[in-house]
Amino acid sequence: DAEINYRKSLVKDSTIFNGNYNLANSLYKQNNYDEAIRIYNNLAYKNKNKNIQAKVFHNLGNSYLQKKEYEKSIEAYKQALKNNPNDYDTKYNLAYAMQMLNKQQNQQQNKNDKNRQNKDQNKDQNKNQNQNKQNNKQEQNKDNQQKDKQKQEQEKQMKKQDAERMLEALKNDEKKTLDKVKKQKAVGIRAKTEKDW
């Protein structure tokens, strides 16, 4: 309701500082931080009263803090403290924002470190996998070479055995042929010795 009433009053005169400031406050309370930030930024330097400027920057810092934009909230709180260095709430919020920024940066650093470690581990795993593949290929090549050598030796062995068999067969054939020739000669001699009278 407050937002609606402030907007109605600003339709009549949009330059009213208090109307804009209160509208921004009502937007902040409704968690509409983006629009609140826009209005606070417009109001930041419009009023020359340092206490009012401090309040605007304080609320701007709170809006950024709610959005977890810690660096911007720290800058807003610093501006508020320049205008009112004795504001305890702003000092407290500044310290809190700085603490949250450090925490956020540490988390980001840890995340980056983990990502880097994961990338390094992945590289190592890939390197190991590639090395294993190379080793497997080398072993397969060695196995293939050994198999080829075994085949060649078996072929040589077979060739040697085949040659020995062939020689043996030739010797046997030669023996048979010689035996046949001897028999024929013997038959021929008998035939000649027997006279046909």
Side-chain angles (χ1 to χ4, degrees):
D1 289 341
E3 176 192 352
I4 293 169
N5 290 329
Y6 290 127
R7 287 190 189 275
K8 284 180 184 177
S9 70
L10 290 172
V11 169
K12 294 176 185 175
D13 186 4
S14 63
T15 61
I16 299 173
F17 181 85
N18 287 341
N20 281 302
Y21 179 73
N22 290 332
L23 174 61
N25 290 340
S26 69
L27 290 168
Y28 174 85
K29 289 189 180 192
Q30 295 176 70
N31 300 331
N32 188 348
Y33 303 118
D34 290 325
E35 195 170 351
I37 287 169
R38 184 183 57 77
I39 295 171
Y40 287 134
N41 275 322
N42 287 338
L43 297 174
Y45 297 101
K46 286 193 175 179
N47 194 312
K48 301 295 179 193
N49 184 321
K50 293 213 178 255
N51 283 332
I52 292 174
Q53 274 188 344
K55 287 180 183 180
V56 171
F57 279 112
H58 177 87
N59 290 349
L60 180 61
N62 288 346
S63 298
Y64 281 127
L65 186 66
Q66 291 298 323
K67 289 187 65 177
K68 297 183 179 176
E69 295 181 20
Y70 300 118
E71 290 178 3
K72 290 180 180 179
S73 88
I74 289 170
E75 288 305 312
Y77 291 135
K78 285 180 180 179
Q79 288 296 323
L81 288 172
K82 283 182 184 176
N83 289 300
N84 184 2
N86 298 322
D87 186 351
Y88 176 77
D89 289 337
T90 303
K91 287 179 183 179
Y92 176 84
N93 288 2
L94 174 62
Y96 178 77
M98 292 172 106
Q99 183 181 11
M100 294 307 290
L101 178 63
N102 285 336
K103 186 176 178 181
Q104 185 182 53
Q105 288 172 342
N106 287 339
Q107 287 174 344
Q108 187 64 37
Q109 182 64 38
N110 289 340
K111 187 176 180 181
N112 290 343
D113 289 346
K114 283 182 183 179
N115 287 342
R116 207 172 298 121
Q117 284 177 345
N118 288 340
K119 284 181 183 178
D120 290 345
Q121 285 176 348
N122 287 341
K123 282 182 184 177
D124 289 344
Q125 286 175 350
N126 288 339
K127 190 176 181 181
N128 288 340
Q129 286 175 349
N130 289 339
Q131 187 65 38
N132 287 341
K133 285 180 184 177
Q134 275 186 327
N135 290 343
N136 288 341
K137 283 183 181 179
Q138 288 175 351
E139 287 179 24
Q140 285 178 344
N141 288 341
K142 285 181 185 178
D143 288 345
N144 289 341
Q145 287 175 351
Q146 286 178 342
K147 286 178 184 177
D148 288 345
K149 282 183 182 178
Q150 287 175 347
K151 276 186 182 179
Q152 287 174 355
E153 287 177 19
Q154 286 175 349
E155 287 174 4
K156 283 181 186 177
Q157 200 77 16
M158 289 174 75
K159 285 180 183 177
K160 189 176 179 182
Q161 288 173 351
D162 287 345
E164 286 175 358
R165 277 191 216 126
M166 289 173 76
L167 280 172
E168 193 66 36
L170 286 173
K171 283 181 186 177
N172 288 339
D173 284 346
E174 192 177 333
K175 265 187 178 180
K176 286 180 185 177
T177 307
L178 285 174
D179 286 343
K180 228 182 197 182
V181 170
K182 282 182 185 177
K183 282 182 185 177
Q184 284 177 352
K185 280 185 182 178
V187 170
I189 294 174
R190 270 193 226 149
K192 285 183 183 177
T193 54
E194 293 180 16
K195 291 187 180 178
D196 193 20
W197 318 67

